[in-house]
Amino acid sequence: MSSQAKQRISMRAVLLSIGVLIANIAVNGLIFMFFRDSTLNPLITAVLAVLWGVLGVYLIYYTLTWAVEQYPDDIGKRVLPFIFIGPAVILLGWLLVLPALRTLYLSFFNASSEKFVGLSNYAAIFSDHLMATALRNNLLWVFVGTLACVAMGLLIAILADRSSYEKIAKSIIFMPMAISFVAAGVIWKFIYYYQPGDEQIGLLNAIVTFFGGEPQAWTSMIQPWNNFFLIIILIWMQTGFAMVIFSAAIKGVPEDILEAARVDGSNEVKIFFRIIIPYISTTILTVTTTIIVFTLKIFDVVMVMTGGQYDTEVVATQFYRQFFMYRNFGYGSTLAIVLLIAVLPVIIINLRQFRKQGGF
Amino acid sequence: MALKRKKKGKKTLVNIILGIICFIWLLPTLGLFVSSFRPAADILHTGWWKVLPHQAWSAGETIQLPKEVDLREPIAVNGTNYSDDQLKAGVTVDGKRLLWENRRARTINVQEKAWEFKPALTLQNYKNVLSGKEYKLKEADGSETLQKGTGLSQAFWNTLTIAVPATVIPVLIASFAAYAFAWLRFPGRKTLFVMIIAMLVIPLQVALIPVLKDYTSLGLNGSYLGIWLAHTAFGLPLVTYFMYNFISQLPKDLFESAFMDGASHFTIFAKLILPLSVPALASIGIFQFLWVWNDYLVSLIFIGNQPSVQVMSMKIADLVGSRGNDWHLLTSAAFISMLMPLAIFFLLQKYFVRGLMGGSIKG
């Protein structure tokens, strides 16, 4: 084959691939416009939208790889990986990496992002009373919440392992994981519900009055203790997560080590602290990390339960307020960056762990 | 023998403690579930546990006070004096309670404790919350008021429309990427992958402001596509990591022969990798689906206040804010939003658990 012929093929391939790309953009763009302006029955719109969303993505990959196959093999081989990872990288770059950098940039500017103010947003955040409260509460959430989830998770995993109805018990504890924080908020608002007088419809106050106590407005009473009542919701929801993973890890502890310890006369408590805990320490670390990351971003619970009133504000709700209510882009961005800085050690630990596992 | 008995005793103790914990764990959801079926007036006046058999004061005989009794003075009933306030609140004597039946008619009711079991349950709350039509609400005093329903059904479809593609798209994109990271060699592979791993823990708050700005200029705000893309991007790191763990473990010779036969990478991926990955796809898919279904923050920011696209979590949060004491609406709405996650949880628990452990138990 002459080099000219080869070039002609490439020329055709180039045209084809460009055509495919343009066609993809055009078709999907048109469909998008159609959906945006459509006045169809919502149910039909929903079905069509789902079809488009799912098939559209598959077709994009399909047409693009087809276009690449028109190229000579060696070129195609080099391009193909980038088509496979392309959408993921583009989306992450556009919606996560670049925004993070832009947020960092915005955090050095004033409320309307027009004037450069250096580090003064950061200074303001650490001196502002509201912000300080939000930061303090977030620390409270992370420490108390994570500690309680991990401890409860371990306890229940151990208990379930020795009980006669392990499966049901684990399902019950795990179930709140499937519930949204908003729904959980409703559930717990009802439990903490307070009304003056004798008859209480909130479970907690009913118990308190049953034992002769005074009903309390749990989520707004003596600050900062009300925060603990919100944290209980997190514990209720996340303990199941910790438990499931601990339970799997505990089952991995070799039976002969446990038997040997029992023969030596160690009691169960000793076995737990001397053998089981050290054996599953990596799992404990990962679970703790996951819950910390999760708790740092806590938002929905506070928003639904108190709306951040009564000194229950956390960083994420403050962020929302600064950005959407006060239109203070500077503060909003700074808060997000503070959150990111708080997570940095966790990122580093995770990457180290990942390298240790020999991921690459 | 003694050892065995000791062991058995221990097991009973474990069972009891675990039983108590389970009971506490279940109680909040149970309360919500029961309340959602109770008439509005009942919820506001008695606790939901009153649907169980319980002791309550029931009306007994009536005492008619003579006309000349001054209600401001101590009132003599059966030889003992009570104040007006006492009778208003009800005083208990010898296990019986004295209470004004009708102060103006001067009648006092002598009530006795009796077992009561007549739970009034209704589907009204669900009808109201789902239909969005006007409906009648019976007040405690017997009068009726008209109330506008909340129309959660539209929000239910919206949530589904958002959640299905926002699950399939990231899982698909992540699987393609995971395949490339695991089995194709290209420059920048390691760096890119490590970056994706690092993004696992980035709080999505850092992305919200700039992404919202982009969306506003592109007209993506409040559109399905916009929210799909957002959920896809925010879910991608975890899904990619999880799928990479799975796909990279597949035996190499399995598709090497297919490659020898001249199959393209796309064919191998579509015909071999995807079918082989079904368990992994299912488990991480469920997890992503629940995450999107339960999401509040992302929807709140990218959907805004367009009712036609609003999802359930937003509607319920709105309800909590605007009608915080309408427990009949709140409880049934919350329960409707929980139906899908709970169904998935109970039906596909096995996969759900695997999806959770995929990213975290390794190592």
Side-chain angles (χ1 to χ4, degrees):
Chain A
M1 198 187 277
S2 71
S3 66
Q4 214 185 353
K6 211 172 182 179
Q7 226 164 13
R8 227 183 298 138
I9 296 167
S10 316
M11 199 56 203
R12 197 178 131 246
V14 167
L15 282 178
L16 259 174
S17 54
I18 292 174
V20 162
L21 205 61
I22 291 174
N24 263 319
I25 294 171
V27 169
N28 285 301
L30 279 175
I31 299 179
F32 170 66
M33 304 272 205
F34 164 74
F35 276 113
R36 199 176 47 185
D37 311 326
S38 94
T39 47
L40 283 170
N41 176 314
L43 197 58
I44 297 173
T45 315
V47 172
L48 289 177
V50 169
L51 272 178
W52 169 51
V54 175
L55 286 180
V57 172
Y58 190 80
L59 281 177
I60 288 174
Y61 279 104
Y62 182 81
T63 49
L64 287 182
T65 36
W66 177 82
V68 168
E69 275 163 21
Q70 308 308 308
Y71 285 85
D73 263 3
D74 52 330
I75 299 180
K77 242 187 193 154
R78 241 177 280 157
V79 180
L80 192 74
F82 293 100
I83 287 180
F84 273 32
I85 63 163
V89 170
I90 290 170
L91 275 177
L92 284 174
W94 173 33
L95 298 175
L96 220 54
V97 179
L98 279 182
L101 296 175
R102 284 162 71 188
T103 301
L104 180 66
Y105 176 78
L106 284 178
S107 72
F108 299 119
F109 283 78
N110 69 345
S112 55
S113 319
E114 277 159 353
K115 214 176 113 220
F116 182 78
V117 292
L119 285 172
S120 75
N121 280 334
Y122 290 86
I125 276 179
F126 287 98
S127 53
D128 185 322
H129 165 71
L130 262 179
M131 303 294 160
T133 316
L135 285 174
R136 182 205 67 189
N137 286 346
N138 239 128
L139 283 179
L140 209 63
W141 275 87
V142 168
F143 275 112
V144 179
T146 311
L147 206 68
C149 286
V150 170
M152 285 293 287
L154 261 175
L155 175 75
I156 297 173
I158 283 279
L159 286 177
D161 195 39
R162 281 127 212 261
S163 81
S164 19
Y165 47 95
E166 182 181 359
K167 265 203 161 151
I168 305 173
K170 273 159 78 178
S171 294
I172 290 175
I173 307 289
F174 189 49
M175 191 191 67
M177 267 293 290
I179 299 173
S180 73
F181 268 116
V182 174
V186 174
I187 293 178
W188 284 86
K189 244 181 133 71
F190 200 47
I191 290 205
Y192 292 146
Y193 190 69
Y194 160 79
Q195 57 187 19
D198 278 345
E199 188 75 41
Q200 295 294 331
I201 60 167
L203 185 63
L204 194 55
N205 274 326
I207 293 172
V208 167
T209 47
F210 181 79
F211 288 109
E214 280 292 310
Q216 300 280 341
W218 302 104
T219 48
S220 55
M221 60 160 228
I222 338 149
Q223 296 138 9
W225 301 107
N226 52 351
N227 282 298
F228 289 101
F229 288 99
L230 301 188
I231 295 175
I232 285 176
I233 306 174
L234 175 91
I235 299 170
W236 181 67
M237 298 190 75
Q238 290 297 308
T239 297
F241 163 75
M243 174 208 65
V244 164
I245 291 168
F246 287 149
S247 177
I250 287 171
K251 288 197 191 315
V253 180
E255 195 59 39
D256 42 335
I257 301 184
L258 298 176
E259 271 317 308
R262 283 197 189 107
V263 170
D264 284 352
S266 305
N267 62 13
E268 292 296 314
V269 179
K270 230 180 192 169
I271 288 177
F272 177 70
F273 283 107
R274 295 271 170 81
I275 296 175
I276 296 182
I277 295 243
Y279 197 88
I280 62 168
S281 57
T282 18
T283 313
I284 296 180
L285 181 76
T286 3
V287 171
T288 313
T289 315
T290 318
I291 299 183
I292 288 177
V293 169
F294 183 81
T295 314
L296 269 172
K297 303 183 261 184
I298 205 79
F299 170 79
D300 319 30
V301 180
V302 179
M303 207 62 186
V304 174
M305 293 294 289
T306 61
Q309 283 173 293
Y310 320 112
D311 273 0
T312 56
E313 204 86 69
V314 288
V315 173
T317 53
Q318 250 316 309
F319 163 83
Y320 179 77
R321 210 174 303 285
Q322 289 299 336
F323 182 57
F324 284 94
M325 291 174 173
Y326 311 145
R327 307 306 264 165
N328 191 336
F329 292 179
Y331 263 30
S333 304
T334 311
L335 275 167
I337 294 299
V338 168
L339 210 55
L340 181 61
I341 293 171
V343 192
L344 269 185
V346 183
I347 299 180
I348 292 164
I349 291 174
N350 266 295
L351 282 180
R352 270 213 198 120
Q353 184 73 24
F354 176 68
R355 204 177 304 150
K356 237 201 288 181
Q357 282 168 32
F360 259 85
Chain B
M1 202 56 196
L3 197 78
K4 213 172 183 183
R5 198 177 307 145
K6 204 175 147 203
K7 233 180 176 174
K8 212 173 176 190
K10 246 185 206 163
K11 193 156 194 181
T12 320
L13 186 68
V14 164
N15 281 343
I16 291 173
I17 297 176
L18 193 63
I20 294 173
I21 295 177
C22 287
F23 178 70
I24 295 173
W25 237 258
L26 205 56
L27 207 55
T29 322
L30 186 72
L32 180 89
F33 182 65
V34 171
S35 298
S36 67
F37 289 105
R38 302 183 74 210
D42 282 15
I43 302 183
L44 279 179
H45 291 109
T46 54
W48 58 266
W49 48 92
K50 291 283 161 78
V51 299
L52 303 169
H54 63 282
Q55 283 211 309
W57 296 110
S58 61
E61 56 175 316
T62 303
I63 301 174
Q64 176 72 53
L65 292 181
K67 270 225 172 84
E68 59 276 9
V69 173
D70 187 349
L71 295 185
R72 281 164 298 185
E73 299 287 312
I75 304 154
V77 186
N78 297 340
T80 324
N81 284 334
Y82 304 104
S83 71
D84 180 31
D85 285 339
Q86 272 180 314
L87 288 174
K88 243 182 218 161
V91 278
T92 317
V93 203
D94 308 331
K96 291 183 178 183
R97 185 166 73 161
L98 302 178
L99 186 75
W100 278 124
E101 187 175 277
N102 190 331
R103 192 165 172 273
R104 202 172 274 172
R106 290 159 188 267
T107 53
I108 293 173
N109 200 299
V110 186
Q111 302 183 326
E112 264 181 274
K113 277 239 166 161
W115 282 99
E116 197 180 272
F117 179 57
K118 41 174 182 186
L121 299 177
T122 167
L123 282 174
Q124 268 298 324
N125 305 337
Y126 284 93
K127 273 188 201 149
N128 169 23
V129 162
L130 280 175
S131 72
K133 284 183 196 132
E134 287 213 327
Y135 92 120
K136 275 185 201 143
L137 181 73
K138 233 183 185 163
E139 296 286 341
D141 55 8
S143 68
E144 284 184 338
T145 47
L146 271 184
Q147 226 180 44
K148 179 111 179 57
T150 28
L152 209 63
S153 45
Q154 164 83 47
F156 183 90
W157 293 116
N158 290 343
T159 317
L160 201 62
T161 313
I162 285 169
V164 173
T167 304
V168 181
I169 295 174
V171 169
L172 206 58
I173 292 181
S175 304
F176 272 105
Y179 174 73
F181 279 125
W183 298 108
L184 304 178
R185 296 289 170 267
F186 55 92
R189 186 176 71 105
K190 267 185 199 177
T191 325
L192 279 174
F193 191 69
V194 168
M195 273 181 75
I196 291 178
I197 301 295
M199 277 184 245
L200 271 174
V201 279
I202 288 186
L204 60 90
Q205 274 93 347
V206 296
L208 295 179
I209 299 176
V211 172
L212 187 66
K213 281 185 177 169
D214 284 357
Y215 272 19
T216 316
S217 48
L218 288 171
L220 279 172
N221 246 347
S223 73
Y224 285 134
L225 184 63
I227 192 117
W228 292 343
L229 288 177
H231 277 307
T232 301
F234 299 149
L236 261 182
L238 181 72
V239 187
T240 310
Y241 179 48
F242 182 86
M243 285 316 293
Y244 173 83
N245 277 342
F246 186 85
I247 291 178
S248 65
Q249 305 284 322
L250 292 172
K252 195 176 180 183
D253 41 338
L254 201 73
F255 37 92
E256 228 164 33
S257 57
F259 202 64
M260 288 296 164
D261 288 346
S264 69
H265 279 295
F266 186 85
T267 323
I268 292 176
F269 179 81
K271 298 258 164 76
L272 266 175
I273 304 286
L274 279 187
L276 281 174
S277 312
V278 166
L281 292 171
S283 54
I284 195 68
I286 292 166
F287 203 58
Q288 169 79 6
F289 181 85
L290 285 180
W291 190 59
V292 175
W293 187 274
N294 287 337
D295 153 76
Y296 177 52
L297 181 61
V298 176
S299 320
L300 188 63
I301 285 170
F302 295 124
I303 289 180
N305 42 18
Q306 295 178 36
S308 58
V309 218
Q310 273 192 345
V311 292
M312 274 193 293
S313 57
M314 300 173 74
K315 286 264 184 191
I316 295 170
D318 270 358
L319 267 182
V320 174
S322 61
R323 307 171 72 167
N325 287 344
D326 288 344
W327 289 109
H328 61 294
L329 300 179
L330 284 177
T331 50
S332 47
F335 206 79
I336 289 170
S337 81
M338 284 160 53
L339 277 181
M340 184 69 91
L342 285 184
I344 287 181
F345 172 76
F346 284 115
L347 289 176
L348 307 171
Q349 202 173 2
K350 203 173 69 192
Y351 293 103
F352 185 25
V353 170
R354 204 182 296 161
L356 261 183
M357 305 211 292
S360 46
I361 197 142
K362 294 245 162 107

